[in-house]
Amino acid sequence: HRRFDYRPKTDPYCQARYTFCPTGSAIPVMKEEDVIEVYRLQAPVWEFKYGDLLGHLKIMHDAVGFKSSLTGKNYTMEWYELFQLGNCTFPHLRPGMDAPFWCNQGAACFYEGIDDAHWKANGTLVLVTTISGSMFNEMARWVKYDNETGIYYETWTVQASPDKNSTVWFDSYECSKFILRTYQKLADLGAVFKKIQTNYTSIILFSGEPVYLGNETSIFGPQGNKTLAAAIRNFYDPFKPHQSVSEFFVDLFRIINRVILNHQFYLFYNLEYWFLPMKSPYLKIIYEEVPLPVASKASFGV
């Protein structure tokens, strides 16, 4: 996933249904000698329980919790879409604009408190490691860098087949990937993680080798490819970005129908368009184990 030099200003056209990070606060500087417990937080995205089909999908949201021994204060950190999931997955087709218009950014949100009832009752709240205050402060600096340079949310993982060692053409970039990067950073700083099973949700598309199509200017600009531009607009036409999570899944199944009928998918990734020659089983939602990281030998003594 490409890193960018800065986060672009959001366009006023992009309106969120729910405010992003409403109670967010700055990450505090911890005393170096503090001992901080790190918790794995995971719960189903509860909107999914409406409708039988969606209730059986293991669609989970991931976050990480911290508890300071010196102050007794709890904190939650997570990463999610600024304008909700539909906007990160589907563009707006705006009158008078040739190119699809994307309202797509994701970012970290940090706030005081852990909603114990939410995570415990519906999912997971489990201690995974303990770190020092100085490690926490190092992590906070890394979060700032990660947040300023990894700006676009990416819903889909795209791979060649369901096999374990299959080629991954494109990797998703969403809430769980941020949590995995955070754990890895803590491991690099010397954190030792407990041996517990940790699973994450992925939405995977299956495709032959992707074909690079170009960027917005080369496809939709004055010298662009009118036929290709029309095909991309046509592909995105049935999908509506402003929607609830349950409506998003109705659109997801619409996509599956089109993809299976036509064996094609147009992917917008890192500001570029790709054509995916889709193949069976086309799309899968999986909930699979990703182990907690092992501290690298070089990091001991940090």
Side-chain angles (χ1 to χ4, degrees), residues 170-228:
F170 298 97
D171 218 342
S172 61
Y173 199 81
E174 27 70 5
C175 67
S176 68
K177 290 296 196 301
F178 173 74
I179 302 306
L180 291 166
R181 290 196 301 282
T182 303
Y183 289 160
Q184 188 58 57
K185 181 64 185 176
L186 292 175
D188 293 345
L189 292 169
V192 178
F193 284 85
K194 293 177 178 294
K195 299 267 188 289
I196 54 171
Q197 184 167 338
T198 51
N199 288 54
Y200 300 90
T201 303
S202 291
I203 305 183
I204 303 178
L205 300 174
F206 298 102
S207 159
E209 185 161 353
V211 179
Y212 176 69
L213 300 175
N215 60 22
E216 186 176 299
T217 311
S218 71
I219 298 170
F220 298 95
Q223 312 299 312
N225 179 332
K226 295 278 185 284
T227 314
L228 178 58

Side-chain angles (χ1 to χ4, degrees), residues 22 39 51 57 104 118 128 133 161 164 174 189 210 217 228 256 290:
Y39 291 89
L57 301 175
N104 177 9
H118 171 73
V128 287
S161 79
K164 259 277 181 258
E174 27 70 5
L189 292 169
T217 311
L228 178 58
I256 296 167
V290 181

Side-chain angles (χ1 to χ4, degrees), residues 23-194:
T23 58
S25 57
I27 304 183
V29 176
M30 300 292 193
K31 288 205 164 68
E32 291 193 359
E33 68 277 13
D34 200 349
V35 174
I36 294 157
E37 294 177 334
V38 181
Y39 291 89
R40 173 172 189 256
L41 309 177
Q42 187 180 64
V45 174
W46 267 130
E47 289 94 329
F48 288 106
K49 70 181 180 181
Y50 305 112
D52 272 343
L53 179 70
L54 307 180
H56 300 303
L57 301 175
K58 277 273 197 186
I59 307 284
M60 311 298 267
H61 177 68
D62 297 273
V64 59
F66 302 97
K67 183 177 184 185
S68 157
S69 302
L70 285 179
T71 65
K73 284 184 175 177
N74 292 325
Y75 303 93
T76 300
M77 184 168 74
E78 53 190 331
W79 195 94
Y80 60 99
E81 325 89 40
L82 265 61
F83 311 109
Q84 281 76 64
L85 187 57
N87 273 309
C88 293
T89 312
F90 309 117
H92 296 255
L93 300 180
R94 293 172 67 179
M97 287 178 81
D98 274 347
F101 183 84
W102 293 85
C103 291
N104 177 9
Q105 283 190 37
C109 174
F110 187 95
Y111 52 95
E112 192 171 328
I114 294 176
D115 181 353
D116 283 36
H118 171 73
W119 302 104
K120 267 189 194 148
N122 307 329
T124 304
L125 192 161
V126 61
L127 180 70
V128 287
T129 188
T130 306
I131 59 174
S132 67
S134 56
M135 283 156 100
F136 179 92
N137 296 337
E138 278 291 319
M139 178 207 73
R141 280 192 281 276
W142 168 82
V143 168
K144 185 174 187 300
Y145 155 79
D146 186 78
N147 215 30
E148 286 169 355
T149 61
I151 51 183
Y152 294 110
Y153 188 101
E154 181 52 56
T155 305
W156 317 105
T157 295
V158 184
Q159 59 187 57
S161 79
D163 302 344
K164 259 277 181 258
N165 302 319
S166 153
T167 304
V168 175
W169 305 118
F170 298 97
D171 218 342
S172 61
Y173 199 81
E174 27 70 5
C175 67
S176 68
K177 290 296 196 301
F178 173 74
I179 302 306
L180 291 166
R181 290 196 301 282
T182 303
Y183 289 160
Q184 188 58 57
K185 181 64 185 176
L186 292 175
D188 293 345
L189 292 169
V192 178
F193 284 85
K194 293 177 178 294

